[in-house]
Every structure is written in C-alpha cells, then in structure tokens.
C-alpha cells in the first residue's frame, strides 16, 4: 500500500507544480499584454524578463518549500480559492520585494502587478479545478490507476465501502469486494 501512496504523491506534486508554473507564466504574459498591448515589452525589457523568471522561481520555491497542495483533493471550491489567493499574494509580494531590492521597482509598471495578481488568481484556480476534475473522473478509471479489492466481513461491508467511496481518492478505483464469513 505504501507504493500506491508514493506513486500518487509524486504524480500529484509534480503535476500541480507544472500546472502552477503554467498558470503563473500565462498570467504574467496576459498582464503584459493588457498593460502594453504586446507580450514583448521594449522599454526595460531586461527588468520585465527577469521579473517573469523570478515569478516562476518564486512559484516553484513556494510550492516545494511549503507543500501547500498537501490537502488538494480534500479542499472544496471556497477553500481552494482561499489557498490559491494566499499563494498568489505570497508570490506577488515576494516578487515586489525582489524588484525593490534590485532597485528596479520604479521602472516597473504597477498595473502589471495588479493585472498579474488578478490573472494569476483566476488562471491557477481554474487550472486547479480542471486538474482536480480530470483526476477524479478520468484518471481514476484509466489503466494507470491502481485497482482496489476489499476483503471484509458481511457486517462491515457497507460501512467499509461507504467510507472508501466518500473519500475523494483519485489514485485508485474500487473494483471488487470479497465477503469473508
């Protein structure tokens, strides 16, 4: 059983990190587009490029160091929104501190901060919901998921099956039940 949880944790952790990096990158590109009308900023190009790379690094560092997606599949919509909001605020504030420390905060458009914060919240939240939906509905039934056989007594069968089905497990599918009496 330990290898099941190890495999599922690796899949969940790395998939979520990639999804978050994608969401942050797209949100930053959209913020630049809404502010300047282009993805390639000509003025202070190096500052905007370095800021984008720092955002990705900050996102990666935060995800690895805090393991903020530990309860990802147990969170509801509102808790997911709060967790995503906290994540976006922390990486945005961290990146603003970075710009302040390298003394480039005045060369950077403040509208990009605002656009990025809103876009990152929306993008990461939507990507998280889509990923959760995919894993719970499609991956669970794929050949890659683990299959589970329950062996129990007839008096406990209903409660055991009910407990298994109530949990939001995406990494295995209940395929058979054996009653031992």
């Amino acid at each position: 059983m330990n290898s099941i949880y190890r495999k599922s944790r690796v899949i969940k952790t790395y998939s979520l990190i990639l999804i978050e990096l994608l969401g942050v990158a797209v949100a930053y590109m959209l913020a630049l587009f809404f502010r300047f009308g282009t993805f390639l900023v000509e003025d202070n190009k190096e500052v905007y490029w370095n800021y984008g790379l720092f955002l990705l690094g900050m996102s990666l560092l935060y995800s690895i160091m805090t393991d903020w997606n530990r309860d990802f599949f147990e969170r509801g919509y509102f808790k997911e929104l709060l967790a995503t909001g906290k994540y976006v605020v922390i990486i945005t504030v961290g990146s603003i501190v970075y710009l302040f420390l390298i003394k480039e905060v005045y060369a950077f458009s403040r509208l990009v901060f605002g656009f990025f914060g809103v876009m990152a919240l929306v993008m990461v939240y939507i990507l998280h919901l889509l990923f959760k939906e995919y894993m719970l509905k499609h991956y669970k039934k794929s050949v890659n998921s683990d299959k589970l056989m329950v062996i129990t007594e007839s008096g406990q069968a209903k409660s055991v099956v009910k407990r298994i089905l109530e949990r939001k497990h995406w990494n295995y599918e209940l395929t058979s039940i054996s009653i031992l009496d």
Side-chain angles (χ1 to χ4, degrees), residues 9-148:
R9 184 164 169 84
V10 167
I11 291 171
K12 180 185 85 167
T13 301
Y14 291 121
S15 297
L16 283 171
I17 287 173
L18 287 174
I19 285 170
E20 289 154 8
L21 290 175
L22 175 69
V24 166
V26 170
Y28 182 61
M29 297 299 283
L30 287 174
L32 290 177
F33 184 77
F34 287 148
R35 169 60 180 94
F36 297 109
T38 181
F39 297 116
L40 303 171
V41 179
E42 294 301 321
D43 294 335
N44 298 322
K45 184 185 333 186
E46 188 174 313
V47 171
Y48 285 95
W49 178 255
N50 288 339
Y51 180 77
L53 291 176
F54 186 80
L55 275 174
L56 293 175
M58 183 79 178
S59 175
L60 183 64
L61 185 66
Y62 182 74
S63 293
I64 291 172
M65 297 297 282
T66 62
D67 192 23
W68 74 284
N69 286 314
R70 183 177 323 115
D71 60 346
F72 178 74
F73 286 101
E74 289 80 32
R75 294 192 297 234
Y77 294 112
F78 185 68
K79 283 187 178 181
E80 184 66 42
L81 183 63
L82 290 178
T84 304
K86 179 182 172 187
Y87 164 76
V88 169
V89 166
I90 288 173
I91 65 169
T92 303
V93 169
S95 61
I96 292 170
V97 169
Y98 161 75
L99 284 176
F100 179 76
L101 291 175
I102 65 168
K103 299 179 182 177
E104 292 291 350
V105 74
Y106 297 109
F108 201 85
S109 172
R110 286 172 293 286
L111 280 175
V112 173
F113 293 133
F115 288 147
F116 169 75
V118 172
M119 294 293 165
L121 178 65
V122 170
M123 290 297 298
V124 173
Y125 181 69
I126 288 173
L127 288 172
H128 273 198
L129 292 182
L130 291 173
F131 178 69
K132 192 181 296 187
E133 184 79 17
Y134 171 78
M135 294 304 272
L136 288 173
K137 288 198 175 172
H138 301 292
Y139 183 86
K140 185 176 195 167
K141 301 206 182 308
S142 74
V143 296
N144 295 326
S145 70
D146 295 313
K147 307 306 178 205
L148 182 66

Side-chain angles (χ1 to χ4, degrees), residues 148-167:
L148 182 66
M149 177 182 180
V150 174
I151 301 172
T152 186
E153 296 175 349
S154 59
Q156 297 177 343
K158 282 187 180 181
S159 66
V160 169
V161 170
K162 182 181 175 186
R163 239 180 326 164
I164 289 172
L165 295 178
E166 282 177 352
R167 294 185 180 176

